[in-house]
mmCIF file of all heavy atoms in Angstrom:
data_model
loop_
_atom_site.group_PDB
_atom_site.id
_atom_site.type_symbol
_atom_site.label_atom_id
_atom_site.label_comp_id
_atom_site.label_asym_id
_atom_site.label_seq_id
_atom_site.Cartn_x
_atom_site.Cartn_y
_atom_site.Cartn_z
ATOM 1 N N ALA V 188 0.833 -1.205 0.000
ATOM 2 C CA ALA V 188 0.000 0.000 0.000
ATOM 3 C C ALA V 188 0.869 1.257 0.000
ATOM 4 O O ALA V 188 0.552 2.245 -0.689
ATOM 5 C CB ALA V 188 -0.932 -0.017 1.216
ATOM 6 N N GLN V 189 1.959 1.233 0.755
ATOM 7 C CA GLN V 189 2.850 2.397 0.803
ATOM 8 C C GLN V 189 3.513 2.647 -0.554
ATOM 9 O O GLN V 189 3.586 3.792 -1.024
ATOM 10 C CB GLN V 189 3.917 2.177 1.877
ATOM 11 C CG GLN V 189 3.384 2.208 3.297
ATOM 12 C CD GLN V 189 4.356 1.603 4.298
ATOM 13 O OE1 GLN V 189 5.375 1.018 3.925
ATOM 14 N NE2 GLN V 189 4.042 1.724 5.580
ATOM 15 N N ALA V 190 4.011 1.573 -1.192
ATOM 16 C CA ALA V 190 4.671 1.736 -2.482
ATOM 17 C C ALA V 190 3.691 2.215 -3.543
ATOM 18 O O ALA V 190 4.028 3.079 -4.374
ATOM 19 C CB ALA V 190 5.313 0.414 -2.906
ATOM 20 N N GLU V 191 2.481 1.690 -3.525
ATOM 21 C CA GLU V 191 1.484 2.113 -4.502
ATOM 22 C C GLU V 191 1.029 3.547 -4.238
ATOM 23 O O GLU V 191 0.749 4.309 -5.179
ATOM 24 C CB GLU V 191 0.303 1.148 -4.492
ATOM 25 C CG GLU V 191 0.687 -0.231 -5.048
ATOM 26 C CD GLU V 191 -0.438 -1.244 -4.958
ATOM 27 O OE1 GLU V 191 -1.423 -0.969 -4.216
ATOM 28 O OE2 GLU V 191 -0.337 -2.308 -5.600
ATOM 29 N N LYS V 192 0.986 3.935 -2.966
ATOM 30 C CA LYS V 192 0.660 5.320 -2.621
ATOM 31 C C LYS V 192 1.709 6.262 -3.179
ATOM 32 O O LYS V 192 1.388 7.314 -3.760
ATOM 33 C CB LYS V 192 0.567 5.454 -1.102
ATOM 34 C CG LYS V 192 0.384 6.880 -0.594
ATOM 35 C CD LYS V 192 0.407 6.896 0.941
ATOM 36 C CE LYS V 192 0.341 8.309 1.493
ATOM 37 N NZ LYS V 192 0.412 8.325 2.986
ATOM 38 N N LEU V 193 2.980 5.885 -3.030
ATOM 39 C CA LEU V 193 4.055 6.707 -3.579
ATOM 40 C C LEU V 193 3.930 6.797 -5.096
ATOM 41 O O LEU V 193 4.049 7.885 -5.683
ATOM 42 C CB LEU V 193 5.409 6.117 -3.208
ATOM 43 C CG LEU V 193 6.626 6.795 -3.860
ATOM 44 C CD1 LEU V 193 6.818 8.192 -3.289
ATOM 45 C CD2 LEU V 193 7.874 5.961 -3.672
ATOM 46 N N ALA V 194 3.679 5.664 -5.754
ATOM 47 C CA ALA V 194 3.571 5.651 -7.210
ATOM 48 C C ALA V 194 2.438 6.548 -7.685
ATOM 49 O O ALA V 194 2.584 7.296 -8.667
ATOM 50 C CB ALA V 194 3.379 4.220 -7.700
ATOM 51 N N ARG V 195 1.315 6.509 -6.984
ATOM 52 C CA ARG V 195 0.182 7.361 -7.375
ATOM 53 C C ARG V 195 0.522 8.836 -7.210
ATOM 54 O O ARG V 195 0.135 9.670 -8.031
ATOM 55 C CB ARG V 195 -1.058 7.008 -6.550
ATOM 56 C CG ARG V 195 -1.714 5.694 -6.934
ATOM 57 C CD ARG V 195 -3.101 5.574 -6.314
ATOM 58 N NE ARG V 195 -3.056 5.648 -4.851
ATOM 59 C CZ ARG V 195 -2.882 4.595 -4.050
ATOM 60 N NH1 ARG V 195 -2.726 3.390 -4.576
ATOM 61 N NH2 ARG V 195 -2.870 4.742 -2.741
ATOM 62 N N SER V 196 1.244 9.148 -6.155
ATOM 63 C CA SER V 196 1.582 10.560 -5.916
ATOM 64 C C SER V 196 2.523 11.108 -6.993
ATOM 65 O O SER V 196 2.586 12.313 -7.211
ATOM 66 C CB SER V 196 2.230 10.711 -4.531
ATOM 67 O OG SER V 196 3.553 10.225 -4.523
ATOM 68 N N LEU V 197 3.259 10.217 -7.642
ATOM 69 C CA LEU V 197 4.203 10.639 -8.683
ATOM 70 C C LEU V 197 3.598 10.517 -10.082
ATOM 71 O O LEU V 197 4.259 10.868 -11.072
ATOM 72 C CB LEU V 197 5.473 9.782 -8.607
ATOM 73 C CG LEU V 197 6.249 9.811 -7.288
ATOM 74 C CD1 LEU V 197 7.421 8.841 -7.343
ATOM 75 C CD2 LEU V 197 6.738 11.226 -6.974
ATOM 76 N N ASP V 198 2.378 10.043 -10.157
ATOM 77 C CA ASP V 198 1.759 9.691 -11.434
ATOM 78 C C ASP V 198 1.783 10.822 -12.452
ATOM 79 O O ASP V 198 2.169 10.646 -13.603
ATOM 80 C CB ASP V 198 0.312 9.240 -11.177
ATOM 81 C CG ASP V 198 -0.295 8.562 -12.386
ATOM 82 O OD1 ASP V 198 0.378 8.492 -13.420
ATOM 83 O OD2 ASP V 198 -1.431 8.061 -12.287
ATOM 84 N N ASP V 199 1.371 12.005 -12.046
ATOM 85 C CA ASP V 199 1.281 13.110 -13.004
ATOM 86 C C ASP V 199 2.273 14.224 -12.693
ATOM 87 O O ASP V 199 2.094 15.365 -13.111
ATOM 88 C CB ASP V 199 -0.150 13.676 -13.028
ATOM 89 C CG ASP V 199 -0.617 14.101 -11.636
ATOM 90 O OD1 ASP V 199 0.151 13.917 -10.662
ATOM 91 O OD2 ASP V 199 -1.746 14.610 -11.532
ATOM 92 N N MET V 200 3.318 13.892 -11.933
ATOM 93 C CA MET V 200 4.305 14.906 -11.565
ATOM 94 C C MET V 200 5.227 15.177 -12.749
ATOM 95 O O MET V 200 5.845 14.248 -13.284
ATOM 96 C CB MET V 200 5.111 14.443 -10.353
ATOM 97 C CG MET V 200 6.052 15.506 -9.796
ATOM 98 S SD MET V 200 6.871 14.933 -8.269
ATOM 99 C CE MET V 200 5.462 14.819 -7.159
ATOM 100 N N PRO V 201 5.365 16.424 -13.184
ATOM 101 C CA PRO V 201 6.254 16.725 -14.308
ATOM 102 C C PRO V 201 7.728 16.594 -13.908
ATOM 103 O O PRO V 201 8.094 16.735 -12.743
ATOM 104 C CB PRO V 201 5.903 18.182 -14.637
ATOM 105 C CG PRO V 201 5.369 18.753 -13.367
ATOM 106 C CD PRO V 201 4.678 17.620 -12.674
ATOM 107 N N GLY V 202 8.555 16.276 -14.904
ATOM 108 C CA GLY V 202 10.002 16.274 -14.680
ATOM 109 C C GLY V 202 10.583 14.950 -14.251
ATOM 110 O O GLY V 202 11.791 14.860 -13.993
ATOM 111 N N LEU V 203 9.752 13.882 -14.165
ATOM 112 C CA LEU V 203 10.276 12.588 -13.733
ATOM 113 C C LEU V 203 10.859 11.763 -14.870
ATOM 114 O O LEU V 203 11.408 10.683 -14.632
ATOM 115 C CB LEU V 203 9.175 11.777 -13.041
ATOM 116 C CG LEU V 203 8.699 12.279 -11.676
ATOM 117 C CD1 LEU V 203 7.677 11.320 -11.095
ATOM 118 C CD2 LEU V 203 9.872 12.441 -10.722
ATOM 119 N N GLU V 204 10.758 12.261 -16.087
ATOM 120 C CA GLU V 204 11.254 11.494 -17.228
ATOM 121 C C GLU V 204 12.746 11.184 -17.102
ATOM 122 O O GLU V 204 13.228 10.176 -17.635
ATOM 123 C CB GLU V 204 10.999 12.259 -18.538
ATOM 124 C CG GLU V 204 9.531 12.515 -18.857
ATOM 125 C CD GLU V 204 8.967 13.716 -18.097
ATOM 126 O OE1 GLU V 204 9.768 14.412 -17.413
ATOM 127 O OE2 GLU V 204 7.746 13.952 -18.174
ATOM 128 N N GLU V 205 13.460 12.049 -16.406
ATOM 129 C CA GLU V 205 14.908 11.869 -16.291
ATOM 130 C C GLU V 205 15.311 11.151 -14.999
ATOM 131 O O GLU V 205 16.486 11.091 -14.653
ATOM 132 C CB GLU V 205 15.607 13.229 -16.372
ATOM 133 C CG GLU V 205 15.389 13.917 -17.727
ATOM 134 C CD GLU V 205 16.088 15.251 -17.817
ATOM 135 O OE1 GLU V 205 16.701 15.679 -16.803
ATOM 136 O OE2 GLU V 205 16.022 15.877 -18.886
ATOM 137 N N ILE V 206 14.314 10.585 -14.288
ATOM 138 C CA ILE V 206 14.582 9.785 -13.082
ATOM 139 C C ILE V 206 13.947 8.411 -13.305
ATOM 140 O O ILE V 206 12.841 8.140 -12.846
ATOM 141 C CB ILE V 206 14.014 10.451 -11.812
ATOM 142 C CG1 ILE V 206 14.527 11.881 -11.675
ATOM 143 C CG2 ILE V 206 14.388 9.635 -10.571
ATOM 144 C CD1 ILE V 206 13.959 12.637 -10.489
ATOM 145 N N PRO V 207 14.626 7.533 -14.018
ATOM 146 C CA PRO V 207 14.002 6.242 -14.350
ATOM 147 C C PRO V 207 13.971 5.240 -13.198
ATOM 148 O O PRO V 207 13.217 4.276 -13.249
ATOM 149 C CB PRO V 207 14.879 5.716 -15.491
ATOM 150 C CG PRO V 207 16.198 6.374 -15.279
ATOM 151 C CD PRO V 207 15.905 7.728 -14.707
ATOM 152 N N LEU V 208 14.777 5.464 -12.147
ATOM 153 C CA LEU V 208 14.841 4.475 -11.064
ATOM 154 C C LEU V 208 14.710 5.151 -9.709
ATOM 155 O O LEU V 208 15.454 6.082 -9.382
ATOM 156 C CB LEU V 208 16.166 3.704 -11.122
ATOM 157 C CG LEU V 208 16.373 2.657 -10.015
ATOM 158 C CD1 LEU V 208 15.303 1.568 -10.084
ATOM 159 C CD2 LEU V 208 17.759 2.030 -10.113
ATOM 160 N N ILE V 209 13.760 4.651 -8.910
ATOM 161 C CA ILE V 209 13.561 5.099 -7.538
ATOM 162 C C ILE V 209 13.707 3.877 -6.624
ATOM 163 O O ILE V 209 13.145 2.813 -6.905
ATOM 164 C CB ILE V 209 12.175 5.737 -7.350
ATOM 165 C CG1 ILE V 209 12.094 7.057 -8.138
ATOM 166 C CG2 ILE V 209 11.866 5.984 -5.872
ATOM 167 C CD1 ILE V 209 10.701 7.676 -8.168
ATOM 168 N N VAL V 210 14.458 4.012 -5.546
ATOM 169 C CA VAL V 210 14.648 2.914 -4.603
ATOM 170 C C VAL V 210 14.197 3.369 -3.225
ATOM 171 O O VAL V 210 14.638 4.421 -2.732
ATOM 172 C CB VAL V 210 16.120 2.458 -4.559
ATOM 173 C CG1 VAL V 210 16.269 1.257 -3.629
ATOM 174 C CG2 VAL V 210 16.627 2.106 -5.955
ATOM 175 N N LEU V 211 13.306 2.601 -2.620
ATOM 176 C CA LEU V 211 12.832 2.885 -1.264
ATOM 177 C C LEU V 211 13.778 2.221 -0.274
ATOM 178 O O LEU V 211 14.021 1.008 -0.358
ATOM 179 C CB LEU V 211 11.412 2.361 -1.065
ATOM 180 C CG LEU V 211 10.358 2.858 -2.062
ATOM 181 C CD1 LEU V 211 8.983 2.318 -1.690
ATOM 182 C CD2 LEU V 211 10.339 4.378 -2.117
ATOM 183 N N VAL V 212 14.304 2.990 0.658
ATOM 184 C CA VAL V 212 15.324 2.488 1.581
ATOM 185 C C VAL V 212 15.020 2.954 3.002
ATOM 186 O O VAL V 212 14.182 3.833 3.229
ATOM 187 C CB VAL V 212 16.732 2.979 1.161
ATOM 188 C CG1 VAL V 212 17.108 2.409 -0.209
ATOM 189 C CG2 VAL V 212 16.810 4.493 1.143
ATOM 190 N N ASP V 213 15.725 2.364 3.963
ATOM 191 C CA ASP V 213 15.588 2.774 5.359
ATOM 192 C C ASP V 213 16.426 4.002 5.676
ATOM 193 O O ASP V 213 16.077 4.777 6.566
ATOM 194 C CB ASP V 213 16.009 1.626 6.282
ATOM 195 C CG ASP V 213 15.109 0.408 6.127
ATOM 196 O OD1 ASP V 213 13.910 0.520 6.432
ATOM 197 O OD2 ASP V 213 15.605 -0.639 5.679
ATOM 198 N N ASP V 214 17.520 4.170 4.945
ATOM 199 C CA ASP V 214 18.455 5.268 5.213
ATOM 200 C C ASP V 214 18.984 5.771 3.873
ATOM 201 O O ASP V 214 19.924 5.201 3.314
ATOM 202 C CB ASP V 214 19.597 4.775 6.097
ATOM 203 C CG ASP V 214 20.560 5.880 6.513
ATOM 204 O OD1 ASP V 214 20.552 6.955 5.881
ATOM 205 O OD2 ASP V 214 21.348 5.657 7.464
ATOM 206 N N SER V 215 18.374 6.821 3.354
ATOM 207 C CA SER V 215 18.749 7.294 2.019
ATOM 208 C C SER V 215 20.143 7.913 2.004
ATOM 209 O O SER V 215 20.841 7.838 0.988
ATOM 210 C CB SER V 215 17.716 8.306 1.504
ATOM 211 O OG SER V 215 17.628 9.423 2.376
ATOM 212 N N ALA V 216 20.576 8.518 3.110
ATOM 213 C CA ALA V 216 21.921 9.098 3.149
ATOM 214 C C ALA V 216 22.966 7.997 2.994
ATOM 215 O O ALA V 216 23.952 8.156 2.257
ATOM 216 C CB ALA V 216 22.134 9.860 4.454
ATOM 217 N N PHE V 217 22.760 6.874 3.674
ATOM 218 C CA PHE V 217 23.688 5.752 3.554
ATOM 219 C C PHE V 217 23.653 5.159 2.148
ATOM 220 O O PHE V 217 24.698 4.931 1.531
ATOM 221 C CB PHE V 217 23.336 4.680 4.582
ATOM 222 C CG PHE V 217 24.143 3.413 4.453
ATOM 223 C CD1 PHE V 217 25.422 3.336 4.982
ATOM 224 C CD2 PHE V 217 23.624 2.304 3.785
ATOM 225 C CE1 PHE V 217 26.174 2.178 4.856
ATOM 226 C CE2 PHE V 217 24.368 1.139 3.651
ATOM 227 C CZ PHE V 217 25.654 1.081 4.193
ATOM 228 N N ALA V 218 22.459 4.911 1.622
ATOM 229 C CA ALA V 218 22.338 4.253 0.319
ATOM 230 C C ALA V 218 22.932 5.092 -0.808
ATOM 231 O O ALA V 218 23.438 4.556 -1.795
ATOM 232 C CB ALA V 218 20.870 3.940 0.029
ATOM 233 N N ALA V 219 22.869 6.418 -0.661
ATOM 234 C CA ALA V 219 23.342 7.306 -1.716
ATOM 235 C C ALA V 219 24.788 7.751 -1.524
ATOM 236 O O ALA V 219 25.361 8.394 -2.403
ATOM 237 C CB ALA V 219 22.438 8.542 -1.803
ATOM 238 N N ALA V 220 25.385 7.402 -0.393
ATOM 239 C CA ALA V 220 26.713 7.928 -0.065
ATOM 240 C C ALA V 220 27.780 7.458 -1.040
ATOM 241 O O ALA V 220 28.699 8.210 -1.379
ATOM 242 C CB ALA V 220 27.092 7.527 1.360
ATOM 243 N N LYS V 221 27.694 6.222 -1.500
ATOM 244 C CA LYS V 221 28.653 5.713 -2.480
ATOM 245 C C LYS V 221 28.009 4.571 -3.248
ATOM 246 O O LYS V 221 27.042 3.950 -2.783
ATOM 247 C CB LYS V 221 29.950 5.270 -1.811
ATOM 248 C CG LYS V 221 29.801 4.261 -0.700
ATOM 249 C CD LYS V 221 31.159 3.991 -0.042
ATOM 250 C CE LYS V 221 31.045 2.983 1.092
ATOM 251 N NZ LYS V 221 32.357 2.731 1.728
ATOM 252 N N LEU V 222 28.563 4.293 -4.412
ATOM 253 C CA LEU V 222 27.969 3.296 -5.298
ATOM 254 C C LEU V 222 27.850 1.938 -4.619
ATOM 255 O O LEU V 222 26.829 1.253 -4.756
ATOM 256 C CB LEU V 222 28.801 3.177 -6.577
ATOM 257 C CG LEU V 222 28.314 2.147 -7.599
ATOM 258 C CD1 LEU V 222 26.929 2.509 -8.116
ATOM 259 C CD2 LEU V 222 29.312 2.017 -8.752
ATOM 260 N N ASN V 223 28.872 1.511 -3.883
ATOM 261 C CA ASN V 223 28.820 0.195 -3.242
ATOM 262 C C ASN V 223 27.677 0.084 -2.249
ATOM 263 O O ASN V 223 27.083 -0.987 -2.080
ATOM 264 C CB ASN V 223 30.148 -0.111 -2.548
ATOM 265 C CG ASN V 223 31.204 -0.618 -3.522
ATOM 266 O OD1 ASN V 223 30.966 -0.699 -4.725
ATOM 267 N ND2 ASN V 223 32.375 -0.948 -3.010
ATOM 268 N N ASN V 224 27.351 1.181 -1.562
ATOM 269 C CA ASN V 224 26.204 1.156 -0.646
ATOM 270 C C ASN V 224 24.911 0.950 -1.423
ATOM 271 O O ASN V 224 24.042 0.161 -1.023
ATOM 272 C CB ASN V 224 26.122 2.459 0.145
ATOM 273 C CG ASN V 224 27.216 2.595 1.179
ATOM 274 O OD1 ASN V 224 28.103 1.749 1.277
ATOM 275 N ND2 ASN V 224 27.179 3.665 1.949
ATOM 276 N N PHE V 225 24.760 1.674 -2.532
ATOM 277 C CA PHE V 225 23.565 1.508 -3.372
ATOM 278 C C PHE V 225 23.431 0.064 -3.844
ATOM 279 O O PHE V 225 22.345 -0.526 -3.774
ATOM 280 C CB PHE V 225 23.635 2.448 -4.579
ATOM 281 C CG PHE V 225 22.741 2.036 -5.712
ATOM 282 C CD1 PHE V 225 21.377 2.282 -5.664
ATOM 283 C CD2 PHE V 225 23.264 1.380 -6.826
ATOM 284 C CE1 PHE V 225 20.549 1.865 -6.710
ATOM 285 C CE2 PHE V 225 22.453 0.968 -7.860
ATOM 286 C CZ PHE V 225 21.089 1.214 -7.807
ATOM 287 N N LEU V 226 24.521 -0.507 -4.327
ATOM 288 C CA LEU V 226 24.476 -1.869 -4.856
ATOM 289 C C LEU V 226 24.112 -2.865 -3.759
ATOM 290 O O LEU V 226 23.292 -3.772 -3.974
ATOM 291 C CB LEU V 226 25.838 -2.228 -5.464
ATOM 292 C CG LEU V 226 26.259 -1.424 -6.696
ATOM 293 C CD1 LEU V 226 27.722 -1.677 -7.016
ATOM 294 C CD2 LEU V 226 25.381 -1.750 -7.892
ATOM 295 N N TRP V 227 24.719 -2.720 -2.596
ATOM 296 C CA TRP V 227 24.468 -3.656 -1.503
ATOM 297 C C TRP V 227 23.030 -3.571 -1.017
ATOM 298 O O TRP V 227 22.335 -4.591 -0.880
ATOM 299 C CB TRP V 227 25.454 -3.380 -0.366
ATOM 300 C CG TRP V 227 25.362 -4.343 0.771
ATOM 301 C CD1 TRP V 227 25.544 -5.690 0.715
ATOM 302 C CD2 TRP V 227 25.081 -4.035 2.140
ATOM 303 N NE1 TRP V 227 25.398 -6.253 1.970
ATOM 304 C CE2 TRP V 227 25.115 -5.253 2.857
ATOM 305 C CE3 TRP V 227 24.824 -2.851 2.829
ATOM 306 C CZ2 TRP V 227 24.888 -5.309 4.236
ATOM 307 C CZ3 TRP V 227 24.591 -2.923 4.198
ATOM 308 C CH2 TRP V 227 24.623 -4.134 4.879
ATOM 309 N N VAL V 228 22.555 -2.356 -0.761
ATOM 310 C CA VAL V 228 21.201 -2.178 -0.229
ATOM 311 C C VAL V 228 20.153 -2.614 -1.250
ATOM 312 O O VAL V 228 19.238 -3.390 -0.944
ATOM 313 C CB VAL V 228 20.979 -0.709 0.184
ATOM 314 C CG1 VAL V 228 19.501 -0.441 0.460
ATOM 315 C CG2 VAL V 228 21.812 -0.364 1.398
ATOM 316 N N THR V 229 20.279 -2.139 -2.479
ATOM 317 C CA THR V 229 19.228 -2.355 -3.476
ATOM 318 C C THR V 229 19.067 -3.824 -3.841
ATOM 319 O O THR V 229 17.943 -4.346 -3.913
ATOM 320 C CB THR V 229 19.523 -1.544 -4.744
ATOM 321 O OG1 THR V 229 19.621 -0.158 -4.401
ATOM 322 C CG2 THR V 229 18.430 -1.725 -5.786
ATOM 323 N N PHE V 230 20.170 -4.530 -4.038
ATOM 324 C CA PHE V 230 20.072 -5.858 -4.629
ATOM 325 C C PHE V 230 20.121 -6.991 -3.613
ATOM 326 O O PHE V 230 19.762 -8.124 -3.950
ATOM 327 C CB PHE V 230 21.142 -6.017 -5.710
ATOM 328 C CG PHE V 230 20.960 -5.033 -6.831
ATOM 329 C CD1 PHE V 230 21.790 -3.919 -6.954
ATOM 330 C CD2 PHE V 230 19.920 -5.175 -7.726
ATOM 331 C CE1 PHE V 230 21.603 -2.994 -7.965
ATOM 332 C CE2 PHE V 230 19.712 -4.250 -8.742
ATOM 333 C CZ PHE V 230 20.562 -3.157 -8.866
ATOM 334 N N THR V 231 20.515 -6.718 -2.376
ATOM 335 C CA THR V 231 20.447 -7.774 -1.359
ATOM 336 C C THR V 231 19.154 -7.692 -0.556
ATOM 337 O O THR V 231 18.830 -8.648 0.161
ATOM 338 C CB THR V 231 21.640 -7.714 -0.380
ATOM 339 O OG1 THR V 231 21.584 -6.515 0.396
ATOM 340 C CG2 THR V 231 22.967 -7.782 -1.126
ATOM 341 N N ARG V 232 18.417 -6.601 -0.655
ATOM 342 C CA ARG V 232 17.225 -6.424 0.183
ATOM 343 C C ARG V 232 15.927 -6.406 -0.613
ATOM 344 O O ARG V 232 14.899 -5.937 -0.118
ATOM 345 C CB ARG V 232 17.356 -5.129 0.999
ATOM 346 C CG ARG V 232 18.514 -5.144 1.978
ATOM 347 C CD ARG V 232 18.647 -3.873 2.779
ATOM 348 N NE ARG V 232 19.806 -3.944 3.688
ATOM 349 C CZ ARG V 232 20.199 -2.966 4.488
ATOM 350 N NH1 ARG V 232 19.532 -1.802 4.489
ATOM 351 N NH2 ARG V 232 21.252 -3.113 5.281
ATOM 352 N N SER V 233 15.957 -6.907 -1.836
ATOM 353 C CA SER V 233 14.730 -6.896 -2.628
ATOM 354 C C SER V 233 14.556 -8.211 -3.363
ATOM 355 O O SER V 233 15.521 -8.855 -3.767
ATOM 356 C CB SER V 233 14.744 -5.742 -3.636
ATOM 357 O OG SER V 233 15.840 -5.856 -4.529
ATOM 358 N N ASN V 234 13.301 -8.602 -3.497
ATOM 359 C CA ASN V 234 12.875 -9.795 -4.223
ATOM 360 C C ASN V 234 12.064 -9.295 -5.415
ATOM 361 O O ASN V 234 10.980 -8.723 -5.232
ATOM 362 C CB ASN V 234 12.024 -10.677 -3.309
ATOM 363 C CG ASN V 234 11.486 -11.907 -4.010
ATOM 364 O OD1 ASN V 234 11.929 -12.262 -5.095
ATOM 365 N ND2 ASN V 234 10.516 -12.571 -3.383
ATOM 366 N N PRO V 235 12.545 -9.439 -6.653
ATOM 367 C CA PRO V 235 11.899 -8.773 -7.796
ATOM 368 C C PRO V 235 10.389 -8.939 -7.872
ATOM 369 O O PRO V 235 9.662 -7.958 -8.082
ATOM 370 C CB PRO V 235 12.597 -9.415 -8.998
ATOM 371 C CG PRO V 235 13.965 -9.745 -8.490
ATOM 372 C CD PRO V 235 13.761 -10.167 -7.065
#
């Protein structure tokens, strides 16, 4: 429900064409701090 709520809120928002990937995380500062953090968080904590 939370993910779908977020998706709906972004549905008609202009300017998202250049942001093809959004990742929901517990700590965005950590996940964005360096590439290895992004890779570890995104791909070890999700089931497609």
